[in-house]
Structure formats: C-alpha cells, structure tokens
Amino acid sequence: YNINVFKLNDRIIFSSNAGFYVYDDIADRFFRYDQLNAMLGSFASSNKIIAAAGKKYWFIDRGRVALADFSVTGKLRLDSNRFSILNGRMVKYYENISRINNNLSLISIDDGFAIYNDGDTPPASLQMLPGVLVRKVEKFGDRIRTITNLNDIEIPYSQNNIRINYTLPYYRQAKIEFQYYLEGYSKKWSEWTTQTQREFTGLGQGDYEFRIRAKVNNQVSGITVVHFSVLAPWYLTKIAFVGYLIIVALVYYAIKRYYKYKLTRHQKRLREKLQHEKEEFLQKEAIAHQQRMAKMQNEQLQADLDRKGRELANSAMNIVYKNELLQRIHDEITELKDSNGKKLSPDQLRKIQKVI
C-alpha cells in the first residue's frame, strides 16, 4: 500500500496509493482526506511530503514535484508547472529537497542538484546564473575509479585518462549549454554543447586546469575551475632519477675499472712483448757473439795452422838441409884418408859420425 506518515499544518496525515487519510480519535478509524485529495488532484497519491518555508510544502509523486501553499486558510495554491523540468530527473523513492534558508531550497536530481529561489527575484534576464557544479571526477585505465577529494587531485600516469561530470543547478525550463577549456591540453574553448561530461585521454604529466561555464538564453555563467595534476611516470620520478644517477655512477665505475683492467693487460702484454723481444735480441746477440767467437777461433786456428805449417815446412826444410849437409859430410868423410893415403876404417868413420 506504500503508506507513509507526515505532518501537515500540525496535523498527522497518512499517504497511500489511493490518496491521503486522517485518523479520527473519536471514531478510532481512518477516513479519506477528501478535501485535501481534491485540491491536490494528481498529487493526491504523493509518496513524500517535505516542509518548505512558512506554510508551504513540497509534494513529490514518484519523481514529479509540486509546491503547495497553505497560507490562505481553506485554500490551496499548487504550483507544478514551474517544476515540470524536474519530472523524471529525481531518483524515484529517494527524492530529497533540503531547505538552505527561507528562500533557497536544494533539490537533489540524478545528475546533481538544482537550486530553487522562492524569494522576490529580478526578471530572469537579470538573474545571475549559478556556477557550474562539478559532480564527479573519474580516472580510468584498466578500471574506473572515482576521485572523492576534488581539492587535491593527483592522477597516476598509468591512469592518465580522466572523465569529468558537471551540471548547472538551474531549475527553469531552458536549454543549457556548456563550454569547457583544459589549460595545458586545449588550444581554445570548445564549442557550446549540451553534454554534461567530458573525457580527456592520454594526458601527459603536468598540472592542468579544467574550466567550465554554462549558457542559458545567451546568458553565460561564471567559470568553475578544477585543478588536477598528472604525476610523472615511474621512470621520471625523483627516485628514478636517483636510481639513474646510481646506475650511471656504477656504469662509470665499471667502465673505469674495465679500461683500467684493459690498460693493465695491455701494459703487461707490452712488457711481455718487450721482454720477449729483449730476450730474442739477447739470444741473437749471443748467437752472433758465439759466431764471431767461433769465427775468431777458426781464424786463430787457421792462423795457428798456417804458422804451424810454415814452421813445419821450415823444420822440414831444415831437416832436409841438415840431411843433405850430413849426407855431404858423410860423403866427404868416406872420402877421407889418413896420412898414409888410406881410407879410414869403419870404426873411425862411426866415431866421426857419432861426434857429428
């Protein structure tokens, strides 16, 4: 039956799909509130009543809104035409209207809020439009995440896509258009559009300023600004740069050690090469020296041989000469004769030869 209890002008009434009822203490039973139902018309089946300023009440019938004025006793002035723009835009069964002060009321709608001013207002053409209300900011990458704190928005680089939902809290029946500009991304203001959300994808790191304004009947609202930042990717953060410096230092140290190692090996090879060349040179010098010594020895031996040959030849000549001399002496001795004219005897010859 969808029965709810409300207090209307200090009287308890009960709502139902069939209209409003009142309770009679004397008869101890419920009676239809025919007088009220007749004055409310189609709003007699309202499921919610919310007190407004003075003797005014909001009647809400499943998304439809009307403002009833009970200021004059016995009469009811019901205004639903001015709020027809809200029909179907309130969350069904969760409708809510909050009174800010005696003139202003905040109406919850499905995509934001609307403000109703019940006081004496200038003509619509002279009214200042309210600022655009940013309802929701979402960042999305692999999945969508809603940003709750709109005062300090920081978006990781891995989720550098952002969706901004906005609305104009304006209840009059009129075409509302929006124009936006993202400083650091857009080159100029966008064209006027009725869309109530905008997506920006692939944002680079840096600070951004999203500006949004609305236009109603050629009247432009003030600019609403939302600041947000896209953080640097992990490889451009301060910690990453510290890591890069460490890596560069390690690479520099490794290269230095490597070149030092190569230089040491090169110097070692040079020393070994020089030592080898020195040893070869010394070996060649030793061989040459030995060859020279051998040559000198050979020459000395040859000289000695020549000298010995000459000496031998001289000796041989002397011997030959002596032999010839001895032979002549022998011949002469054999021819010797004694005083008697006789040849000497063999004994005498042997003695003489022995003496010679």
Side-chain angles (χ1 to χ4, degrees):
Y1 293 98
N2 194 22
I3 297 174
N4 295 291
V5 182
F6 303 100
K7 187 175 183 180
L8 181 66
N9 284 339
D10 296 328
R11 186 171 186 179
I12 302 299
I13 62 174
F14 302 86
S15 67
S16 70
N17 295 333
F20 288 98
Y21 286 78
V22 293
Y23 178 70
D24 189 338
D25 295 336
I26 299 175
D28 192 21
R29 55 176 296 187
F30 290 94
F31 292 93
R32 284 178 55 87
Y33 200 165
D34 294 330
Q35 183 181 3
L36 178 62
N37 291 334
M39 290 187 293
L40 290 175
S42 63
F43 282 89
S45 60
S46 297
N47 61 301
K48 188 172 290 187
I49 300 175
I50 300 174
K55 292 187 176 183
K56 296 180 180 180
Y57 293 86
W58 295 98
F59 283 81
I60 302 174
D61 182 15
R62 297 161 186 81
R64 296 188 306 125
V65 184
L67 183 62
D69 187 357
F70 293 90
S71 299
V72 179
T73 304
K75 291 185 178 181
L76 172 62
R77 188 171 60 187
L78 187 67
D79 183 4
S80 62
N81 293 329
R82 286 193 298 170
F83 306 102
S84 61
I85 191 174
L86 299 178
N87 291 346
R89 297 186 62 186
M90 303 181 73
V91 181
K92 193 174 182 180
Y93 299 113
Y94 293 94
E95 304 90 348
N96 185 47
I97 299 176
S98 301
R99 189 172 66 180
I100 300 174
N101 54 39
N102 289 335
N103 294 325
L104 296 179
S105 296
L106 185 67
I107 305 172
S108 299
I109 55 179
D110 58 359
D111 60 349
F113 299 93
I115 296 177
Y116 170 66
N117 189 344
D118 194 29
D120 294 331
T121 58
S125 60
L126 300 179
Q127 291 184 24
M128 292 292 295
L129 289 177
V132 177
L133 179 66
V134 176
R135 297 180 52 247
K136 184 169 59 175
V137 178
E138 297 173 321
K139 56 184 178 181
F140 59 94
D142 297 335
R143 56 181 180 174
I144 300 175
R145 295 178 177 85
T146 301
I147 300 173
T148 56
N149 185 8
L150 301 183
N151 296 323
D152 186 18
I153 302 176
E154 290 185 345
I155 302 173
Y157 188 80
S158 59
Q159 300 174 350
N160 57 345
N161 306 312
I162 191 171
R163 179 186 298 122
I164 302 176
N165 293 269
Y166 43 83
T167 187
L168 182 70
Y170 187 78
Y171 72 93
R172 296 182 183 275
Q173 181 105 27
K175 181 181 180 181
I176 303 175
E177 295 179 303
F178 298 94
Q179 189 181 46
Y180 60 84
Y181 174 78
L182 181 60
E183 185 175 348
Y185 183 87
S186 304
K187 295 182 179 179
K188 61 180 182 179
W189 282 88
S190 69
E191 299 295 331
W192 291 101
T193 177
T194 57
Q195 293 182 354
T196 57
Q197 72 174 20
R198 179 67 175 93
E199 291 183 359
F200 299 96
T201 58
L203 296 175
Q205 70 173 94
D207 298 325
Y208 294 89
E209 186 177 89
F210 178 74
R211 302 175 185 176
I212 181 73
R213 60 187 178 185
K215 181 175 72 172
V216 178
N217 297 328
N218 293 324
Q219 185 179 3
V220 180
S221 70
I223 298 175
T224 300
V225 179
V226 176
H227 299 273
F228 65 91
S229 300
V230 177
L231 300 178
W234 65 267
Y235 51 84
L236 293 179
T237 60
K238 293 181 179 179
I239 296 177
F241 280 112
V242 172
Y244 297 151
L245 290 176
I246 294 174
I247 293 173
V248 169
L250 291 175
V251 171
Y252 172 77
Y253 178 74
I255 292 175
K256 185 177 179 181
R257 287 291 301 272
Y258 174 72
Y259 277 104
K260 185 176 180 181
Y261 170 73
K262 287 192 67 177
L263 181 61
T264 303
R265 288 191 60 188
H266 182 65
Q267 291 175 344
K268 184 179 178 181
R269 290 196 189 99
L270 287 178
R271 286 195 299 268
E272 291 175 351
K273 183 178 179 181
L274 291 174
Q275 183 66 26
H276 181 68
E277 291 178 352
K278 182 179 179 181
E279 291 176 354
E280 287 184 349
F281 176 77
L282 292 176
Q283 187 176 5
K284 290 180 180 180
E285 285 293 320
I287 294 172
H289 178 70
Q290 290 176 358
Q291 290 176 350
R292 288 194 298 270
M293 291 297 296
K295 184 178 179 181
M296 291 176 64
Q297 289 177 357
N298 291 334
E299 291 177 350
Q300 184 67 33
L301 289 173
Q302 187 64 40
D304 291 340
L305 288 174
D306 292 341
R307 183 175 55 80
K308 294 294 183 181
R310 288 192 299 271
E311 290 178 353
L312 183 60
N314 291 334
S315 298
M317 291 297 293
N318 289 331
I319 292 171
V320 171
Y321 176 75
K322 288 178 181 181
N323 288 334
E324 289 179 352
L325 181 60
L326 289 174
Q327 186 65 35
R328 284 195 303 266
I329 293 172
H330 176 72
D331 291 341
E332 291 291 335
I333 291 173
T334 57
E335 295 295 331
L336 290 177
K337 295 178 178 178
D338 59 10
S339 60
N340 296 319
K342 294 180 179 181
K343 292 184 178 181
L344 297 177
S345 65
D347 292 333
Q348 290 177 337
L349 290 173
R350 282 194 296 269
K351 289 180 179 180
I352 293 170
Q353 289 177 350
K354 186 176 181 181
V355 172
I356 296 171

